[in-house]
Amino acid sequence: MAGRRPQMPMMQPQVIVLKEGTDTSQGVPQLLSNIAACIAVCDTIRTTLGPRGMDKLIVDSQKRVTISNDGATIMKLLDVVQPAARTLVDIARAQDAEVGDGTTSVVLLAGELLKEVREYIEEGVGAQVVIKGIRTAADLAVSRIRELAVSVDRSDAANFRALLEKCAATSMNSKLIGSQKEFFTKMVVDAVMRLDQEELNEDMIGIKKIPGGAMQDSLLVDGVAFKKSFSYAGFEQQPKAFDAPKIVCLNVELELKAEKDNAEVRVDKVSEYQAVVDAEWKIIFDKLDSIIAAGANVVLSRLPIGDLATQYFADRDIFCAGRVSKDDLDRVCEATGCRVQSTTAGLAAAHLGTCERFEERQVGGQRFNIFRGCPQAKTCTIILRGGAEQFIDEVERSLHDSIMVVRRAVKNQAIVAGGGAIEMELSRHLREAARQIEGKQQLIVSAVARALEVIPRQLCENAGFDTTDFITQLRARHAQDPERFRWHGVGIDEEAVADMYANFVWEPALVKINAITSAAEAACLILSVDETVTSQRSQDPMASSRPAPGHGRGMPMMG
């Protein structure tokens, strides 16, 4: 019709799903960006692997200095902010908590897996195809480790102890204490063997650090040792050593309590005030008398023991220590057979513990209370000595890793050879297995086989060897005769390809199984993420605390 106006096209309304300022990245570029971030994190700790690995000096925001080559410690202190790369921090912590050793290896493996499959992602292979291939390869590798692992019969005590010492020495090779591994290996194995062999609770091994002296001055106490707590006047008059003492552990305060602030007591006569004071004194004296009546020679309490009680015990030749930490008190109870009492009422000889000898002695510049020869000792204490504080901290971390490895070796007696030998054997096995697999999966399994070579390659690089020559030799030997050369790896001391099993470079099979499964899971997790949504608020933590303009009660300022 002539008078009709032309219809305007309908405008499509803009749909806003995310709040303004939200950053979104998606697709293959996002996946490649995540892979690049993970490889950058791996490059940071790459040089710490192996006996010739370097240390990292890290200064945190509080200017605290940490010197370490422990993968989990470095990853924790790096403060990684890239969301995908934080996955590597998590797997390093999980490896440290589960098996103690192999924290650097697990991060390197995860990074190398991503590096090897990156080219397939760039060429358009689907991420799910790559993930399936990595999982297939990880399953093949783990089953091969179980086939190769050598079990040691625990009934032969001498052989079993030798196995544990070899595993401990291997974990110390790459640490700061590698030069003193003979000294510390015996200490670590002794410590683990003194634990309850069913529970193997590592918390029952106390580690105390005293600056000064040499590393060889460190000692293992068969029982409990803890630093002398704060003491009141009269403490010097107490005896400092007992043979077969009776020990009581309390969670009771043994001092006159001060009145609370603004407390008010109304009395009409002086005698009433005196009755209040007398009642307070009677309460504490009743507590002290009941402890003495039970026959205790050593009194320990988590709460303060005041000057009155200290002098009272000193007059009766009794040793006391207040403000003892919960961990130390728990270990005293485990060792001596007593239980922490929350009241002194009804205290009897049955509630007391005992040991062969108690003494307070000087260790370095500090006084230590030491309980030896405990009948129910399922605990022990390692007292560490050393020059600098950072040095002792690193020794403690190294011993913790070795203790965890020995614990795992006690529970799972299966071992494999270290020094890159098991990784080269798995690489050969996966290459052969890949030939039987059809389609794109074959390429991914072959990529995982190449990624496993990162461990021996990095060991060579860190030691300053000719990497190409070593890796070529290892590939040739493992391919030539897998039965005869299966345990050949990088011999750091020989500076040549050597039989790692014959050289007693042994590791629990669980360390390798855990490292491969964790690395494969982390790689699959990162590959399965194709979009990152970053809220603006998370980048600006002060945004929520700032008041919005114009909502205050004051008058606006006139310009």
Side-chain angles (χ1 to χ4, degrees), residues 42-49 108 112 115 454 458 462:
C42 291
D43 289 341
T44 309
I45 66 166
R46 193 178 288 275
T47 55
T48 65
L49 184 74
L108 281 185
E112 198 68 15
K115 195 175 183 180
V454 70
Q458 199 60 48
N462 292 350

Side-chain angles (χ1 to χ4, degrees), residues 244-248 294-299 349 352-354:
K246 296 292 183 184
I247 302 157
V248 63
N297 306 115
V298 177
V299 181
L352 307 184
T354 187

Side-chain angles (χ1 to χ4, degrees), residues 70-111:
D70 178 51
T73 305
I74 296 167
M75 294 296 284
K76 188 167 64 179
L77 294 172
L78 277 180
D79 197 16
V80 178
V81 293
Q82 213 275 353
R86 284 198 64 80
T87 310
L88 299 183
V89 181
D90 294 338
I91 61 168
R93 284 184 175 179
Q95 179 82 1
D96 192 44
E98 185 65 22
V99 287
D101 202 19
T103 50
T104 307
S105 301
V106 72
V107 175
L108 281 185
L109 274 173

Side-chain angles (χ1 to χ4, degrees), residues 24 53 83 208 234 282 293 296 312 318 335 339 387 392 438 501 511 522 545 550:
T24 62
K208 305 296 178 183
K282 184 175 185 308
Y312 191 86
I318 293 173
R339 287 288 169 264
I392 302 178
E438 294 182 357
Y501 191 83
V511 172
S545 59

